[in-house]
Amino acid sequence: MSQDELNKPENLSPVEKMKTESRGLRSNMTEQMSNSLTGNIDETATQIVKFHGSYAQDDRSRREERERKKLEWAYSFMIRLRIPGGDITAKQWLGLQESCDTRASGIIKITTRQTIQFHGVVKARMKPTMKDFDDLGLDAIAACGDVNRNVMAGANPLLAPYQAEVHEYADKISEALLPKTGAFKEVWLDGEKLPQDKPAEEDPLYQDRYLPRKFKIGIVIPPHNENDVFSQDIGLIAIGNGETFEGFNVAIGGGFGCTHGNEKTYPRLGTIIGFVPKDKAVETCWQIAAVQRDYGNREDRKQARLKYTLDRLGVDFFKGELENRLGFKLEEAKPYEFTHRGDAFGWLQDHLGKWHYTMFVETGLVKDLPDYEVKSALKEIAELDCCGYRFTGNQNIMLINIDESDKPKIEEILNKSGISTDKQSKTRQEAIACVALPTCPLALAEAQRYLPEFVSKIEALQDKHGLSDKPITTRITGCPNGCGRPYVAEIGLIGKAPGKYVLRLGGDYIGERLNTVYREEADETEILQIVDELFAKYANDAKDDESFGDFTQKLLFA
Ligand code: SRM
Ligand code: SF4
């Protein structure tokens, strides 16, 4: 469809109307959130509350029981915070944990985008929870919705002398692309009300229609592709020269969401369109979002992401339009190389002598397990107030900027709580699962609750074939939306039905190649049988440093 035929007012999707009529994301939110007759909210508020960082959900495992008792479903809200680059202070962690204990499920979930979520916040607790965040200097605005989401940035301080400078771009970009509205304060924090006869605040980027769809930006620092830079709408690859940070290679049009059986939807890796010097990076992101605002599909939400705009218009057209708006041309992309994606677990010392500890948190769930008490350890360490906390895009947590003199106190707590990087295989440390059941309304199969058990079975097969020291990127999602980025895993499972997954193989170890469907539908027994046979061949025939993904790609799909 040509651009002229697209987005005629009569064809716009219903969500477009809700956005333009929302008066700067206010809509009927205050009224819906204060209606105590139901734990749910209406369709308009359901769409608009996303822009405030929240999703209306219900506990799917309790639906039948509630229906039997003639009760409405067990509704509650998930709240996702906006934490650019994943950084908070120890005091903020303490406040968040307390808020989660008193107002939500008690289990903080570290997401694949370097932030955290609370689950199970009932309607009456939404305002107090948002107030807790505000008291801690945090917010949830734009963590979801058709706007720029949480901006990710390379977490490991050892990657380059300029890591800290690069990391600050997460904040700068997030600030520049925030919606300009007082709605968040008005709805949650009893802020001043916008009079009914006054128009909403001017918003040069989002105007009154926002973006056609969600929008994601992630920064990586080679050789580490920890945030899967090619899965982002805008992926920024930091380029330096010796000690100096120069700017970013810009990749656009990455995105993974698709729908089973809908061939018009597909996962796509970002396309590198050039290099921008660091002082032009924020403006470049802003203008890319603006081009997507003006050209994206607003009729069909399944065709609305930047990746589809790019494939419809062509990369050259998009780049030309971007350069016209910027008033300068992008430079030729600079050379770089990726070598890994997983986090650097355990202790690291940076060039300034500060210590950092990366802690493994299985599927990002902060809870105490027998002999591995993450929740207690994080609380006790935060009480010392001698380090910062940083979430990683692999759903783990780092304790950062620790003085040599404070290290022993932290080590003592880690030891006491059973936290050690020797307890997990490399495959387990690098595995990712999305939330899926019981809260995600889109889940078709288990993911987060299933991953630990599935990884144990993969580990057993690795042991059997003498492959225990090989990290094999394993990712599971409960549906094809790709929240755990399974399309760039070496073993990717994508939920199709309870206990059934699409099996995708042949992704590379560094996230530069999409994997390929090997079985359209398989249960655990079949998947493990396939993996067992492939491991046997891999152990016998692979070249020394060949990754499992490269080996299977050559064997099965070349
Ligand atoms: Fe996601 C929708 C959870 C990262 C692609 N995602 C959802 C929802 C909100 C379901 C819904 O729409 O009602 C899930 C909430 C489940 C729950 O109960 O918490 C959900 N997504 C997550 C998280 C929490 C997974 C996790 O276990 O860490 C991640 C939160 C990230 C964050 O902090 O912002 C999460 N989601 C991703 C990623 C990975 C990434 O961004 O790096 C992707 C793939 C990349 C991409 O965007 O293409 C992703 N989520 C989606 C999609 C597909 C979008 C599309 O283009 O079609 C949906 C469905 C949608 O938007 O319609 C979705
Ligand atoms: Fe839910 Fe699907 Fe995302 Fe998993 S991949 S959290 S099942 S939307």
Side-chain angles (χ1 to χ4, degrees), residues 434-437 440-445 447 477-484:
C434 72
V435 177
L437 293 161
C440 180
L442 309 178
L444 304 168
T477 57
C479 86
N481 281 316
C483 301

PDB file of all heavy atoms in Angstrom, residues 434-437 440-445 447 477-484, ligand 2:
ATOM      1  N   CYS A 434      10.862 -15.200  29.122  1.00  0.00           N
ATOM      2  CA  CYS A 434       9.929 -14.099  29.369  1.00  0.00           C
ATOM      3  C   CYS A 434       9.003 -14.483  30.518  1.00  0.00           C
ATOM      4  O   CYS A 434       9.012 -15.617  30.989  1.00  0.00           O
ATOM      5  CB  CYS A 434       9.117 -13.824  28.120  1.00  0.00           C
ATOM      6  SG  CYS A 434       7.916 -15.131  27.802  1.00  0.00           S
ATOM      7  N   VAL A 435       8.143 -13.563  30.929  1.00  0.00           N
ATOM      8  CA  VAL A 435       7.234 -13.804  32.058  1.00  0.00           C
ATOM      9  C   VAL A 435       6.244 -14.932  31.759  1.00  0.00           C
ATOM     10  O   VAL A 435       6.132 -15.911  32.495  1.00  0.00           O
ATOM     11  CB  VAL A 435       6.441 -12.525  32.404  1.00  0.00           C
ATOM     12  CG1 VAL A 435       5.456 -12.805  33.518  1.00  0.00           C
ATOM     13  CG2 VAL A 435       7.375 -11.385  32.771  1.00  0.00           C
ATOM     14  N   ALA A 436       5.517 -14.787  30.664  1.00  0.00           N
ATOM     15  CA  ALA A 436       4.467 -15.755  30.263  1.00  0.00           C
ATOM     16  C   ALA A 436       3.454 -16.009  31.399  1.00  0.00           C
ATOM     17  O   ALA A 436       3.056 -15.073  32.089  1.00  0.00           O
ATOM     18  CB  ALA A 436       5.098 -17.041  29.746  1.00  0.00           C
ATOM     19  N   LEU A 437       3.102 -17.284  31.633  1.00  0.00           N
ATOM     20  CA  LEU A 437       2.044 -17.587  32.607  1.00  0.00           C
ATOM     21  C   LEU A 437       2.524 -17.390  34.041  1.00  0.00           C
ATOM     22  O   LEU A 437       3.706 -17.576  34.296  1.00  0.00           O
ATOM     23  CB  LEU A 437       1.580 -19.030  32.408  1.00  0.00           C
ATOM     24  CG  LEU A 437       0.874 -19.262  31.069  1.00  0.00           C
ATOM     25  CD1 LEU A 437       0.838 -20.733  30.711  1.00  0.00           C
ATOM     26  CD2 LEU A 437      -0.535 -18.682  31.118  1.00  0.00           C
ATOM     27  N   CYS A 440       0.851 -13.046  31.968  1.00  0.00           N
ATOM     28  CA  CYS A 440       0.815 -12.474  30.622  1.00  0.00           C
ATOM     29  C   CYS A 440      -0.412 -12.970  29.864  1.00  0.00           C
ATOM     30  O   CYS A 440      -0.569 -14.175  29.643  1.00  0.00           O
ATOM     31  CB  CYS A 440       2.074 -12.830  29.844  1.00  0.00           C
ATOM     32  SG  CYS A 440       1.992 -12.108  28.191  1.00  0.00           S
ATOM     33  N   PRO A 441      -1.263 -12.049  29.426  1.00  0.00           N
ATOM     34  CA  PRO A 441      -2.496 -12.472  28.743  1.00  0.00           C
ATOM     35  C   PRO A 441      -2.219 -13.111  27.385  1.00  0.00           C
ATOM     36  O   PRO A 441      -3.098 -13.754  26.819  1.00  0.00           O
ATOM     37  CB  PRO A 441      -3.278 -11.163  28.582  1.00  0.00           C
ATOM     38  CG  PRO A 441      -2.267 -10.078  28.670  1.00  0.00           C
ATOM     39  CD  PRO A 441      -1.151 -10.585  29.534  1.00  0.00           C
ATOM     40  N   LEU A 442      -1.021 -12.909  26.840  1.00  0.00           N
ATOM     41  CA  LEU A 442      -0.728 -13.396  25.490  1.00  0.00           C
ATOM     42  C   LEU A 442      -0.021 -14.745  25.489  1.00  0.00           C
ATOM     43  O   LEU A 442       0.199 -15.342  24.433  1.00  0.00           O
ATOM     44  CB  LEU A 442       0.133 -12.365  24.743  1.00  0.00           C
ATOM     45  CG  LEU A 442      -0.408 -10.921  24.762  1.00  0.00           C
ATOM     46  CD1 LEU A 442       0.539  -9.977  24.046  1.00  0.00           C
ATOM     47  CD2 LEU A 442      -1.784 -10.857  24.118  1.00  0.00           C
ATOM     48  N   ALA A 443       0.317 -15.248  26.683  1.00  0.00           N
ATOM     49  CA  ALA A 443       1.100 -16.489  26.759  1.00  0.00           C
ATOM     50  C   ALA A 443       0.300 -17.685  26.260  1.00  0.00           C
ATOM     51  O   ALA A 443      -0.853 -17.889  26.639  1.00  0.00           O
ATOM     52  CB  ALA A 443       1.549 -16.723  28.190  1.00  0.00           C
ATOM     53  N   LEU A 444       0.936 -18.503  25.422  1.00  0.00           N
ATOM     54  CA  LEU A 444       0.327 -19.740  24.931  1.00  0.00           C
ATOM     55  C   LEU A 444       0.950 -20.948  25.624  1.00  0.00           C
ATOM     56  O   LEU A 444       0.429 -22.044  25.565  1.00  0.00           O
ATOM     57  CB  LEU A 444       0.542 -19.860  23.415  1.00  0.00           C
ATOM     58  CG  LEU A 444       0.038 -18.668  22.584  1.00  0.00           C
ATOM     59  CD1 LEU A 444       0.551 -18.749  21.158  1.00  0.00           C
ATOM     60  CD2 LEU A 444      -1.491 -18.635  22.592  1.00  0.00           C
ATOM     61  N   ALA A 445       2.114 -20.743  26.233  1.00  0.00           N
ATOM     62  CA  ALA A 445       2.823 -21.828  26.926  1.00  0.00           C
ATOM     63  C   ALA A 445       3.657 -21.222  28.050  1.00  0.00           C
ATOM     64  O   ALA A 445       3.827 -20.014  28.127  1.00  0.00           O
ATOM     65  CB  ALA A 445       3.728 -22.558  25.947  1.00  0.00           C
ATOM     66  N   ALA A 447       6.982 -20.190  30.242  1.00  0.00           N
ATOM     67  CA  ALA A 447       8.352 -19.772  29.905  1.00  0.00           C
ATOM     68  C   ALA A 447       9.150 -19.621  31.206  1.00  0.00           C
ATOM     69  O   ALA A 447       9.929 -20.492  31.574  1.00  0.00           O
ATOM     70  CB  ALA A 447       8.354 -18.493  29.097  1.00  0.00           C
ATOM     71  N   THR A 477      10.187 -18.286  25.153  1.00  0.00           N
ATOM     72  CA  THR A 477       9.089 -17.340  25.357  1.00  0.00           C
ATOM     73  C   THR A 477       7.757 -18.084  25.248  1.00  0.00           C
ATOM     74  O   THR A 477       7.661 -19.112  24.573  1.00  0.00           O
ATOM     75  CB  THR A 477       9.104 -16.177  24.342  1.00  0.00           C
ATOM     76  OG1 THR A 477       9.064 -16.704  23.026  1.00  0.00           O
ATOM     77  CG2 THR A 477      10.331 -15.310  24.517  1.00  0.00           C
ATOM     78  N   GLY A 478       6.767 -17.516  25.889  1.00  0.00           N
ATOM     79  CA  GLY A 478       5.455 -18.169  25.923  1.00  0.00           C
ATOM     80  C   GLY A 478       4.628 -17.926  24.685  1.00  0.00           C
ATOM     81  O   GLY A 478       3.553 -18.497  24.517  1.00  0.00           O
ATOM     82  N   CYS A 479       5.087 -17.048  23.798  1.00  0.00           N
ATOM     83  CA  CYS A 479       4.373 -16.764  22.545  1.00  0.00           C
ATOM     84  C   CYS A 479       5.350 -16.132  21.573  1.00  0.00           C
ATOM     85  O   CYS A 479       6.485 -15.838  21.934  1.00  0.00           O
ATOM     86  CB  CYS A 479       3.152 -15.875  22.820  1.00  0.00           C
ATOM     87  SG  CYS A 479       3.517 -14.106  22.856  1.00  0.00           S
ATOM     88  N   PRO A 480       4.913 -15.880  20.332  1.00  0.00           N
ATOM     89  CA  PRO A 480       5.893 -15.399  19.342  1.00  0.00           C
ATOM     90  C   PRO A 480       6.266 -13.921  19.456  1.00  0.00           C
ATOM     91  O   PRO A 480       6.990 -13.410  18.601  1.00  0.00           O
ATOM     92  CB  PRO A 480       5.213 -15.692  18.000  1.00  0.00           C
ATOM     93  CG  PRO A 480       3.791 -15.887  18.286  1.00  0.00           C
ATOM     94  CD  PRO A 480       3.623 -16.226  19.716  1.00  0.00           C
ATOM     95  N   ASN A 481       5.797 -13.224  20.486  1.00  0.00           N
ATOM     96  CA  ASN A 481       6.133 -11.805  20.580  1.00  0.00           C
ATOM     97  C   ASN A 481       7.609 -11.559  20.865  1.00  0.00           C
ATOM     98  O   ASN A 481       8.136 -10.478  20.606  1.00  0.00           O
ATOM     99  CB  ASN A 481       5.258 -11.103  21.621  1.00  0.00           C
ATOM    100  CG  ASN A 481       3.893 -10.812  21.038  1.00  0.00           C
ATOM    101  OD1 ASN A 481       3.790 -10.358  19.906  1.00  0.00           O
ATOM    102  ND2 ASN A 481       2.851 -11.117  21.779  1.00  0.00           N
ATOM    103  N   GLY A 482       8.266 -12.532  21.432  1.00  0.00           N
ATOM    104  CA  GLY A 482       9.737 -12.457  21.490  1.00  0.00           C
ATOM    105  C   GLY A 482      10.320 -11.659  22.642  1.00  0.00           C
ATOM    106  O   GLY A 482      11.430 -11.133  22.546  1.00  0.00           O
ATOM    107  N   CYS A 483       9.593 -11.583  23.778  1.00  0.00           N
ATOM    108  CA  CYS A 483      10.059 -10.740  24.888  1.00  0.00           C
ATOM    109  C   CYS A 483      11.398 -11.200  25.471  1.00  0.00           C
ATOM    110  O   CYS A 483      12.110 -10.414  26.077  1.00  0.00           O
ATOM    111  CB  CYS A 483       8.998 -10.673  25.978  1.00  0.00           C
ATOM    112  SG  CYS A 483       7.440  -9.997  25.380  1.00  0.00           S
ATOM    113  N   GLY A 484      11.730 -12.461  25.325  1.00  0.00           N
ATOM    114  CA  GLY A 484      13.038 -12.955  25.795  1.00  0.00           C
ATOM    115  C   GLY A 484      14.031 -13.046  24.648  1.00  0.00           C
ATOM    116  O   GLY A 484      15.041 -13.736  24.765  1.00  0.00           O
TER     117      GLY A 484
HETATM  118 FE1  SF4 B   2       3.925 -12.657  27.161  1.00  0.00          FE
HETATM  119 FE2  SF4 B   2       4.569 -13.540  24.772  1.00  0.00          FE
HETATM  120 FE3  SF4 B   2       5.972 -11.579  25.877  1.00  0.00          FE
HETATM  121 FE4  SF4 B   2       6.193 -13.974  26.835  1.00  0.00          FE
HETATM  122  S1  SF4 B   2       6.771 -13.372  24.741  1.00  0.00           S
HETATM  123  S2  SF4 B   2       5.860 -12.135  28.056  1.00  0.00           S
HETATM  124  S3  SF4 B   2       4.169 -14.816  26.567  1.00  0.00           S
HETATM  125  S4  SF4 B   2       3.868 -11.448  25.259  1.00  0.00           S
END
